[in-house]
Each structure stands twice: as C-alpha cells, then as structure tokens.
Amino acid sequence: MCGIVAAVAQRNVQEILLEGLKRLEYRGYDSAGMTVFNDGVLTRHRALGKVAALTAQLDKAALPGFSGIAHTRWATHGKPSEANAHPHHSSDQVAVVHNGIIENYEAIKESLQRSGYAFSSETDTEVIAHLLSEKLADGLSLFDATQQIVNGLGGAYALGVMCAQEPGVVVGARQGSPLVVGVGINEAFLASDPLALLPVTDRFIYLEEGDLVELREQGAIRIVDRHGNDVERPIHTFEHGDGAASKGDYRHYMLKEIFEQPTVIEAALEGRLSAQSVLIESFGPDALALFQRTRHMHIIACGTSYHAGLVARYWLERYAGVPVQVEVASEYRYRHPVVPEGTLFVTLSQSGETADTLAALRFAKTLNYVGSLAICNVPGSSLVRESDMSLMTRAGPEIGVASTKAFTTQLVALMLLTLSVSKAKNQVEYLDIIAALRTLPEVCQRVLALDSQIEILSQAFAEKHHALFLGRGAHYPIALEGALKLKEISYIHAEAYPAGELKHGPLALVDSEMPVISVAPNDDLLEKLKSNLQEVRARGGKLFVFADESVGIDVQEDIRVLTLPHVHEALAPLLYTLPLQLLSYHVAVLKGTDVDQPRNLAKSVTVE
Ligand code: G6P
C-alpha cells in the first residue's frame, strides 16, 4: 500500500526521504517519487518500479534541500507509470503525496477542469494539488488551505503537502489512513509507519482521525483536531529498536521472521500466565466482567488474520463453550448482521490499520454488542485506540508481506482469550494447556530445526502449477493459511479443503501432477484423515504429510512424511503452521520470486 515520508530538517533531506522510502518498501508498491524544496523551487523526481530506480535518478541529479515529501505508490486509480506516480504537482506551486482513495474525485475533477486546470495523471490524488492551488491563489496559507479542502474530500486519506510560497513548511492530514509525526531535535517528520523514520528519531505522535499537522523549521509542530482546535498529542517512544527493521544475517525478512517465532511466542505469553492460571487482566481491567457477560462472539478480520480467527472458533467453542462466528471484514461490513444478546465483537489485525477491519469495527459500534476487543500487533494503531479492550501480540515489526510471526502470535493471543473466557464464565482452568503453552517456544525451535529437510521437500514443488492442502478440524484453517502462503510468494495456485470435502469435488483434480499437502497431528480426527489420504493415493496423487511422531504413516514412494515433535492437541495448529511457512518460503526462493515483496500485494491494506 502507498507509503508517505516527509521531512523538515536542519540538513539535506534527500537521504532521509530515500531511506524512509526503502523502509516502506515492505508495504508493497509499484513506483516512487520525491519533491524537495530546492533552490527556490519545488523539484520532483519520479520513477516506475523500485525505490532503487528513483535512487539511480537521484545519483545523476541530486535533490538537495531542507524540506521535502516522498512516496511509494500502490496503484488504485490509473496504471503503474511515472505520470501516475506521486508527488502530484499543480503548476510547480503545490506538491502532494497521498495514501488512500478520494471517492468523490471525479466530480471534483470535472469542476476543476471547468475552471481551467489541466490534469497530467489518471489518479484521484491530483485533484488535491489543484484544489490547494485554488485556495492558495485566494491568499490562504498552506495549512488553512489544506484545512478547507479536506472537508470536501470523501473517502480515506493520509496526506503530505508542500507549496513553493512556504519553503520550510510541510502539512499533513489523516482521515482513514495511517500517519505518524516523527519528533526530532529541531526537526520534524511525517511517515505512514514509524519504521520509516527510525534512523532519525524514536519519538512519535500518532495522529488521530481528522487531525491536521503543520511541520515548520526548527522542529515546530502544530496539530489541529477535526473540530479546528489546537491540540497536544502524546509523544510515544518506539520500543522495538531499529534492529527489528533489518534482515540481520538472513537472506529475507520472511525467513528471519519465521525463525523469530519461538522468541515472539515467549514474548506474547510473558506476564499473562501465573503458575497455575491465565491472567484475565491482561485484556484490561474490565475484561473479567465483560467475559462473564459474553454469550457469543463475532470475530472479524482479513487475510491471514482471518485464518487465525477460524482456528479460534474451534478453540472457543470446545474449551470455553462460546458460539463463535468468524467472517472477513469486507463482507461483514456490508451485511445486516443479527447480533444475539451478549455478543462480544473481536477484531484481529497485525497492523491495526486495515481499512475493512476498521470500518467493520466502526459499524459494529452502532450495533448492540457488549463490547469490542482488538487483538493487534501495533499499540498506537487505530483499531486499538477505537476498541474497548485490546491485547497486543508483541510480534515486533513484521516486514515480509506474507505474514508469519504475526499469525502465530495472534494464535497465542487467541488461546489466552479462550482460556480467559473459560475461566471467567465457567471457572474452568485448562492446566494442561497452560503447561503446554510454556513449552511451546522450545517445541517450535525443534520444528524450525527441520528446515533443511523442508528445503529438500520444496524441490518437488518448484515446477508445479497447482497444489492442494488438506486439514481437518482446527487444522483446516492451517491448511488455508498454508495455501495462502504458497500462493502469495511462489505464485503457485493452491487451494485448501477440509479433508472430508475432498470426495465432493477436488478429488477430480488429483493426478500424479498434483501435490497434496496434509497436516496430520495426533488428534481424534487422525483415523478419518488417514482414510482421506488413501483416497488421494488411489488416484495417483503425490502426498506430503506433516505428521505427529506417534502417528505412524509409512513413507512410501507416493508419500513423503515429515515427522514433527508431539505437542498438546490444542496447540498443534500453532506448531503445524511453521513447516508450511518454511515450505512456501523455500519454493519461492527456488522459483526466484520477490519473497518479501510479492507482486501486486501490500502489507498494510489501508484502502477498501
Ligand atoms: C494484507 C497482508 C496480509 C494480511 C492482511 C490483513 O493483505 O498482505 O498479510 O494478513 O492484509 O492485515 P492485518 O494487518 O489486518 O492483519
């Protein structure tokens, strides 16, 4: 998704902006650009493709200056091209970068065209540049002009704007898309994500919806809220350190993040379990009372987070006795959901900024839920701020677009939720699960040690065009997640089915060219799963089975088995995720795809 970086500094900002853009690459994008106030004029460079292409341009013609705005674009309106890349200018007087979608841009564009403005791009963003130009011509300051025009913009936006008349000023605005202010020493910055600015500051202000901010020379920062009142927002210190934003010795962020899982699972558990019990207060002071009143749950999320929700349904129904409905946010927000009395609304999101999930929460607040809980990885995010309760997953920044550690820590958080609701409502503590949770980081470590064996397995996939993933019970969502990982980074078409559904259709696809991947923990569905696997073998399918060490599936020519350490049945979905992540990773490396930034995808989807 689009990324914004802006700076008003005491030094040349070109390098700060370029480094910021590189750090936002993980969000997914197709072009990049930068405008700097340079030698009395707004000077712009834009390039199709990676930030490296923009860097190459700037190597030939540097853009020195003390203030500037920069952008990575993920195409929504208009194809990826240099002309559609940001910043967008209005007659070299105004420059704009934008993340989000201006839904009413067509009407605004027609009106501007009637007033004589010529458009040089197909984007929705360009209207903002011309609207500002109109206001500036009326004699308004950049800040006042921005304040006036945002009222007429429908949809979602984070903006960074500058104008030739006010050299040391950058104005930002936030409505529906994330924007943070970086507080430097006599310098100030804007970005879509704090990670972009970690080389220059670790102090951030998270803007609220409707906020407008003005950065001026000497680090002056003025924030005005949606009602036009000057406000002070708290400054937060970024806690994760800059190391989280580097690959270290790993070839890709995704691999680093896969191997971080034992550590972050431990972090997700820290302080949330006592010797014999789960600590319900981890969810906040009101959690006990709210969980006692909870009779149903609606879990809403997108992508990988949605798969975590599907696993949680099995857990919450079995261990806490609470009926659960799980749905993707983009569907939920446009339905007319019936909310039974005593329903808790739960959102899952790595970023806390996913537009559909956020809109679903806002919609849910108009309905009769008993409360809202966000399970999220970003403390200052919109989802967390707008929910009644929250639990942080503590995965640390995740850079690879394909989510790995964010998913497993969500599962840990959801198991803590299950145990907490069970304790609050039924006075039942699952001591065996609590004990198993404590050993989970070590068991995960043992699974990650199988990496070289999984790498060998991956060779069987590199030439394939399709793959089928099977699982039963809580491992059906794990099969879905395994298929999603393979699709996302290796571009191999993959589908997942509950193994029992095989005979109702997908079996027709099975032949010797179809690899079938199955997860087979030792649970009460094992014997049924084994029968399903025989159905595949009988049709000549090639089976790849990740199985519990006690399961006893014989290795034969058409079955390759990788044995995993035994883990408590309840936690098996967490453990079986790991080999599927590694499998996708190695297949993608063999195929030579862009593992960390797969084509067409974005890390944080802040548009609908
Ligand atoms: C994008 C990402 C996925 C992620 C999904 C939901 O599609 O590429 O990895 O699962 O958004 O994001 P969230 O931040 O809400 O978990």
Side-chain angles (χ1 to χ4, degrees):
M1 204 76 351
C2 302
I4 290 176
V5 197
V8 177
Q10 303 251 6
R11 50 191 150 155
N12 181 8
V13 294
Q14 177 187 308
E15 279 314 311
I16 297 173
L17 297 176
L18 265 185
E19 176 62 22
L21 291 184
K22 279 190 222 145
R23 287 164 169 260
L24 293 178
E25 285 190 303
Y26 76 92
R27 292 167 67 86
Y29 70 106
D30 45 60
S31 53
M34 174 189 301
T35 293
V36 168
F37 191 80
N38 171 251
D39 224 2
V41 286
L42 294 177
T43 312
R44 170 176 69 177
H45 274 287
R46 298 180 293 176
L48 183 62
K50 297 286 176 187
V51 173
L54 179 66
T55 310
Q57 273 194 28
L58 291 167
D59 284 345
K60 287 188 211 133
L63 261 189
F66 295 107
S67 56
I69 56 179
H71 190 263
T72 47
R73 173 174 187 255
W74 187 77
T76 56
H77 294 68
K79 61 184 180 301
S81 69
E82 193 180 317
N84 287 333
H86 300 213
H88 288 287
H89 281 196
S90 182
S91 65
D92 293 336
Q93 289 302 302
V94 180
V96 174
V97 289
H98 165 221
N99 171 15
I101 290 176
I102 305 303
E103 287 176 346
N104 55 341
Y105 85 100
E106 277 171 328
I108 301 175
K109 186 171 178 175
E110 277 166 25
S111 143
L112 285 163
Q113 279 169 330
R114 282 197 297 275
S115 308
Y117 285 96
F119 280 73
S120 56
S121 78
E122 302 159 282
T123 65
D124 51 339
T125 305
E126 197 180 344
V127 298
I128 301 171
H130 298 313
L131 282 174
L132 284 173
S133 181
E134 231 177 20
K135 293 289 176 195
L136 292 170
D138 290 344
L140 293 184
S141 69
L142 183 63
F143 187 82
D144 291 345
T146 312
Q147 195 171 28
Q148 286 202 6
I149 67 139
V150 291
N151 293 330
L153 301 178
Y157 52 80
L159 297 178
V161 302
M162 42 192 314
C163 73
Q165 290 163 11
E166 296 174 57
V169 176
V170 168
V171 172
R174 180 208 157 127
Q175 180 68 55
S177 298
L179 194 64
V180 297
V181 180
V183 182
I185 299 168
N186 296 329
E187 299 180 323
F189 311 91
L190 287 179
S192 300
D193 182 328
L195 284 182
L197 299 175
L198 287 180
V200 286
T201 186
D202 64 353
R203 297 191 307 142
F204 295 95
I205 297 169
Y206 295 93
L207 294 175
E208 302 275 337
E209 291 293 69
D211 278 357
L212 217 68
V213 60
E214 182 185 53
L215 315 182
R216 284 188 164 272
E217 284 150 342
Q218 303 296 328
I221 296 167
R222 176 188 174 202
I223 301 174
V224 165
D225 69 11
R226 66 169 86 227
H227 307 295
N229 301 317
D230 279 83
V231 283
E232 293 273 329
R233 300 268 180 240
I235 298 178
H236 299 268
T237 302
F238 189 81
E239 288 164 6
H240 301 294
D242 199 12
S246 90
K247 281 203 280 259
D249 292 335
Y250 289 94
R251 185 166 168 196
H252 295 101
Y253 281 108
M254 182 180 178
L255 190 63
K256 173 178 176 245
E257 288 157 3
I258 290 173
F259 275 86
E260 277 173 358
Q261 286 176 110
T263 313
V264 293
I265 287 173
E266 202 161 341
L269 289 169
E270 199 188 310
R272 292 169 173 174
L273 295 173
S274 70
Q276 297 275 317
S277 191
V278 62
L279 300 174
I280 300 177
E281 318 77 275
S282 316
F283 290 85
D286 304 328
L288 175 63
L290 203 55
F291 291 161
Q292 281 169 340
R293 283 161 55 210
T294 297
R295 288 160 59 186
H296 300 264
M297 274 191 213
H298 286 174
I299 301 182
I300 304 299
C302 301
T304 290
S305 297
Y306 167 67
H307 294 156
L310 290 176
V311 174
R313 180 177 63 182
Y314 289 89
W315 287 343
L316 282 156
E317 295 195 345
R318 173 164 179 182
Y319 299 110
V322 175
V324 177
Q325 187 182 310
V326 189
E327 194 169 0
V328 289
S330 53
E331 285 299 313
Y332 171 85
R333 62 182 287 198
Y334 293 113
R335 281 203 302 114
H336 299 275
V338 175
V339 183
E341 210 186 312
T343 305
L344 179 67
F345 185 80
V346 182
T347 52
L348 308 176
S349 174
Q350 176 274 126
S351 62
E353 300 292 350
T354 301
D356 283 320
T357 311
L358 204 50
L361 170 66
R362 290 173 185 159
F363 172 47
K365 285 172 134 181
T366 66
L367 306 173
N368 61 322
Y369 286 96
V370 287
S372 56
L373 164 67
I375 291 182
C376 188
N377 193 32
V378 181
S381 63
S382 306
L383 208 62
V384 169
R385 290 204 310 262
E386 295 184 28
S387 297
D388 300 330
M389 293 189 298
S390 60
L391 187 80
M392 290 308 118
T393 51
R394 301 178 182 160
E398 188 179 68
I399 306 292
V401 164
S403 191
T404 53
K405 62 176 181 169
F407 177 67
T408 41
T409 51
Q410 277 174 344
L411 289 180
V412 170
L414 286 161
M415 181 47 93
L416 291 172
L417 176 67
T418 305
L419 297 172
S420 297
V421 174
S422 162
K423 182 176 170 185
K425 284 184 70 68
N426 317 323
Q427 257 86 71
V428 175
E429 291 266 23
Y430 289 94
L431 300 181
D432 50 342
I433 300 181
I434 291 174
L437 273 172
R438 290 185 203 290
T439 65
L440 193 60
E442 184 268 325
V443 187
C444 287
Q445 204 69 266
R446 280 158 54 204
V447 172
L448 294 174
L450 300 171
D451 183 41
S452 52
Q453 294 180 49
I454 297 170
E455 189 175 358
I456 293 168
L457 275 190
S458 69
Q459 292 162 3
F461 290 79
E463 303 299 321
K464 299 289 182 207
H465 299 291
H466 307 276
L468 210 51
F469 285 71
L470 301 178
R472 294 197 74 126
H475 293 87
Y476 165 50
I478 299 306
L480 283 170
E481 176 59 12
L484 179 65
K485 287 284 92 81
L486 193 69
K487 272 186 270 214
E488 283 179 317
I489 59 170
S490 74
Y491 315 147
I492 292 175
H493 168 229
E495 291 196 58
Y497 278 90
E501 270 293 292
L502 193 63
K503 55 189 173 294
H504 297 297
L507 202 53
L509 297 172
V510 173
D511 62 14
S512 60
E513 283 306 299
M514 177 67 91
V516 180
I517 301 105
S518 175
V519 283
N522 195 357
D523 60 17
D524 48 11
L525 290 172
L526 177 64
E527 289 311 316
K528 294 193 187 304
L529 179 73
K530 281 183 173 173
S531 310
N532 302 140
L533 300 186
Q534 291 307 331
E535 292 163 11
V536 173
R537 287 186 70 198
R539 273 85 188 169
K542 293 275 175 291
L543 274 168
F544 297 81
V545 184
F546 295 95
D548 187 283
E549 56 199 8
S550 61
V551 157
I553 297 177
D554 293 337
V555 183
Q556 299 180 30
E557 200 192 322
D558 55 355
I559 304 191
R560 294 173 73 176
V561 181
L562 197 90
T563 309
L564 267 58
H566 181 66
V567 67
H568 189 291
E569 185 189 335
L571 302 184
L574 259 150
L575 201 69
Y576 281 76
T577 301
L578 274 48
L580 300 187
Q581 294 169 343
L582 284 169
L583 180 70
S584 298
Y585 172 77
H586 289 298
V587 175
V589 170
L590 280 175
K591 294 197 71 177
T593 60
D594 191 343
V595 172
D596 286 329
Q597 294 162 39
R599 67 185 183 200
N600 306 339
L601 299 181
K603 179 76 187 161
S604 180
V605 182
T606 50
V607 295
E608 188 176 343

